[in-house]
Amino acid sequence: MKAADLIHKIANISSYQQYGRVKRVIGLMIESQGPDCSVGDICYIYPSQKQSNKKILAEVVGFRDEMVILMPYTHLSEIAPGSLVESEGKPLEIKVGSALIGKIVDPLGMPMDGSVLPRGLSSIATDQEPPNPLKRPPISERLEVGIRAIDSLLTVGKGQRIGIFAGSGVGKSTLLGMIARNTKADLNVIGLIGERGREVSEFVERDLGPEGLSRSIVVAATSDQPALMRIKGAYTATSIAEYFRDKGFNVMLLMDSVTRVAMAQREIGLATGEPPATKGYTPSVFAILPKLLERTGTSEKGTITAFYTVLVDGDDLNEPIADTVRGILDGHIVLDRNLANKGQFPAIHVLKSISRLMNTLADEDHKHAAAKIREMMSTYLNAEDLINIGAYKKGSSEDIDKAIAYYPKIVSFLKQDVNEKSTMEESIRSLIQLGEKGDWQ
């Protein structure tokens, strides 16, 4: 550190500490009288004088009358009336750098295997503003994700933001693992938010694998952790992606799931006294979602291509969170339970999915072939019930006859084994051959 920087830091150190005292604990909230602080500031709570070396990290989430409302990053045990509260006077910061690649960290940026942080890391704030919209370069370059159905029919560009919408158990995590292993992005940042404890290691070992982990940073916040930790998991993953984007990287951000981020914010909102608005979700939920999702995308230095999974209750794609997220993002991929039940994996329902930038990124032959395949799939699915019960007679419709002949080849093209790799060039070439000749071999 330069001498001038060190002198500046010393000059800005407060000559006294700001303290407060815990007055009461209600549910998830801690109310304290003092210290002087702002919303978002970090505070340390000392449980008792006998354990003065132990401190609990908490964040200021609001104010009520003259009381400071805090929410801890850990559980509330051992906090009692009179516990000392010390303000840091700044929001949460994490350490980040290239040495984190290949590691699994918690929402506070600490390695989950108990190791110490490597040296030479930089401090960054977890809560940052989205880039200036007038300084965002347009998305003009395709990004290979290695999934045949996506690269050919739902082409993604560098800096695009896509939602993966599905119910539970339809293959969201498996699809994310395939994207992380196969993508041509420079680096993966993976946020596992609200996952079951066993699923973290399973995802890393089975879905991501050593190949994927070697060029990834995983941020994990399990479902048993407090709501604030789950939200910070999403913010931390986004901040790490922003750091590498500012270094000129093309980053792939994979977050599973944004629905659990919304649920965590609902917990905090209800605890701080917000009224439930839409299906129990508080107004703050719909305020933080666009702020979080808009932080990704392009900037003047690099790109963050983001895939956010959205867990839809009862496969209802019109529930509030799914509807809000779909309106913010640049496209959506729908995983269909019926396709999964038929053994089609990844279970992407092409007709319900869309990439809003595909027409900009694809050439004319590619767009023509994709439109033709979509048309044949639509024709077949509209007549599927008649075909299955034997009510359709061959020759009644030339379009349906052609769709019946093509459909098995289309399904075979869309299927992809978990360990199967397919380049974008191969996927597009096969799509064009299938669209033009009906033979993609």
Side-chain angles (χ1 to χ4, degrees):
M1 182 181 293
K2 295 180 180 179
D5 294 335
L6 186 59
I7 293 171
H8 179 73
K9 282 182 174 291
I10 294 173
N12 283 278
I13 294 176
S14 177
S15 58
Y16 63 95
Q17 294 288 344
Q18 294 290 337
Y19 293 99
R21 292 283 182 182
V22 172
K23 289 299 180 182
R24 60 178 179 173
V25 176
I26 304 176
L28 304 174
M29 296 290 118
I30 302 167
E31 290 190 4
S32 80
Q33 188 169 6
D36 290 339
C37 51
S38 303
V39 172
D41 283 357
I42 295 300
C43 293
Y44 291 106
I45 303 174
Y46 298 87
S48 68
Q49 294 298 327
K50 295 179 181 179
Q51 294 177 314
S52 58
N53 291 329
K54 182 177 180 180
K55 52 187 180 181
I56 295 171
L57 191 63
E59 182 175 312
V60 179
V61 295
F63 303 95
R64 182 179 291 121
D65 297 327
E66 295 182 0
M67 306 297 287
V68 178
I69 303 175
L70 302 154
M71 177 170 276
Y73 284 96
T74 57
H75 298 289
L76 292 167
S77 58
E78 300 184 15
I79 296 177
S83 295
L84 193 66
V85 181
E86 177 187 355
S87 174
E88 277 283 285
K90 61 181 181 179
L92 177 68
E93 292 184 346
I94 59 167
K95 298 284 188 179
V96 62
S98 299
L100 281 186
I101 298 175
K103 292 189 176 294
I104 305 167
V105 300
D106 65 14
L108 303 181
M110 302 302 295
M112 296 188 70
D113 59 4
S115 62
V116 297
L117 282 172
R119 294 184 177 181
L121 301 180
S122 303
S123 295
I124 60 170
T126 59
D127 192 359
Q128 301 185 39
E129 292 296 320
N132 187 325
L134 297 181
K135 294 183 179 180
R136 286 183 184 264
I139 298 172
S140 58
E141 189 176 350
R142 297 181 303 189
L143 177 66
E144 179 179 316
V145 298
I147 310 297
R148 199 157 42 234
I150 297 175
D151 284 338
S152 60
L153 292 165
L154 302 164
T155 307
V156 174
K158 291 181 180 179
Q160 188 170 351
R161 303 158 306 151
I162 299 286
I164 300 176
F165 294 74
S168 57
V170 189
K172 298 186 300 299
S173 297
T174 302
L175 181 60
L176 289 185
M178 291 175 68
I179 293 172
R181 292 194 308 272
N182 298 337
T183 181
K184 294 298 182 182
D186 300 326
L187 174 71
N188 299 315
V189 179
I190 303 169
L192 303 177
I193 313 301
E195 293 285 349
R196 304 175 186 90
R198 66 170 179 83
E199 288 182 333
V200 175
S201 59
E202 285 183 5
F203 176 85
V204 172
E205 295 173 8
R206 183 187 63 193
D207 296 329
L208 190 58
E211 177 187 356
L213 183 60
S214 65
R215 57 194 190 95
S216 302
I217 300 173
V218 180
V219 181
T222 53
S223 59
D224 61 295
Q225 292 181 300
L228 193 58
M229 282 288 271
R230 281 175 269 147
I231 289 180
K232 287 301 174 185
Y235 279 41
T236 296
T238 306
S239 297
I240 293 172
E242 288 172 325
Y243 172 85
F244 285 101
R245 176 180 64 185
D246 292 342
K247 296 292 183 182
F249 284 68
N250 292 313
V251 184
M252 175 70 75
L253 174 63
L254 307 170
M255 189 175 294
D256 184 16
S257 70
V258 72
T259 305
R260 295 193 178 104
V261 176
M263 291 178 175
Q265 181 60 36
R266 176 174 62 183
E267 286 183 40
I268 295 174
L270 292 174
T272 55
E274 283 189 75
T278 308
K279 289 194 174 180
Y281 288 101
T282 57
S284 62
V285 173
F286 302 100
I288 71 160
L289 283 177
K291 184 177 179 182
L292 174 65
L293 302 180
E294 285 290 347
R295 288 171 61 180
T296 56
T298 60
S299 76
E300 297 174 296
K301 299 177 181 178
T303 65
I304 300 175
T305 306
F307 282 83
Y308 299 97
T309 67
V310 181
L311 183 64
V312 291
D313 295 334
D315 297 324
D316 178 16
L317 296 174
N318 294 317
E319 61 95 23
I321 300 303
D323 198 44
T324 300
V325 172
R326 188 168 55 243
I328 297 170
L329 299 179
D330 306 318
H332 53 272
I333 296 170
V334 176
L335 302 186
D336 190 274
R337 192 176 300 277
N338 292 328
L339 296 180
N341 292 338
K342 293 177 183 178
Q344 180 179 327
F345 290 100
I348 298 174
H349 197 303
V350 174
L351 298 181
K352 292 182 180 179
S353 306
I354 189 171
S355 170
R356 294 178 179 173
L357 294 173
M358 180 172 174
N359 286 337
T360 303
L361 300 170
D363 57 34
E364 291 302 319
D365 290 341
H366 183 184
K367 288 188 286 188
H368 178 74
K372 191 171 183 180
I373 296 302
R374 282 178 174 270
E375 182 182 352
M376 284 189 287
M377 292 180 70
S378 178
T379 301
Y380 179 86
L381 293 175
N382 287 335
E384 187 175 25
D385 290 340
L386 294 176
I387 296 169
N388 289 339
I389 65 175
Y392 175 76
K393 292 184 179 181
K394 187 176 180 179
S396 300
S397 169
E398 183 179 348
D399 290 340
I400 295 178
D401 289 343
K402 190 175 182 180
I404 293 172
Y406 269 61
Y407 194 72
K409 296 180 181 180
I410 296 173
V411 171
S412 180
F413 168 76
L414 295 176
K415 283 184 178 180
Q416 186 170 341
D417 187 73
V418 172
N419 297 314
E420 181 184 353
K421 294 185 177 180
S422 178
T423 66
M424 177 174 282
E425 290 74 15
E426 292 172 346
S427 299
I428 295 174
R429 184 171 61 251
S430 298
L431 178 77
I432 292 174
Q433 291 175 353
L434 179 61
E436 290 180 351
K437 304 176 182 177
D439 184 2
W440 52 278
Q441 296 179 352

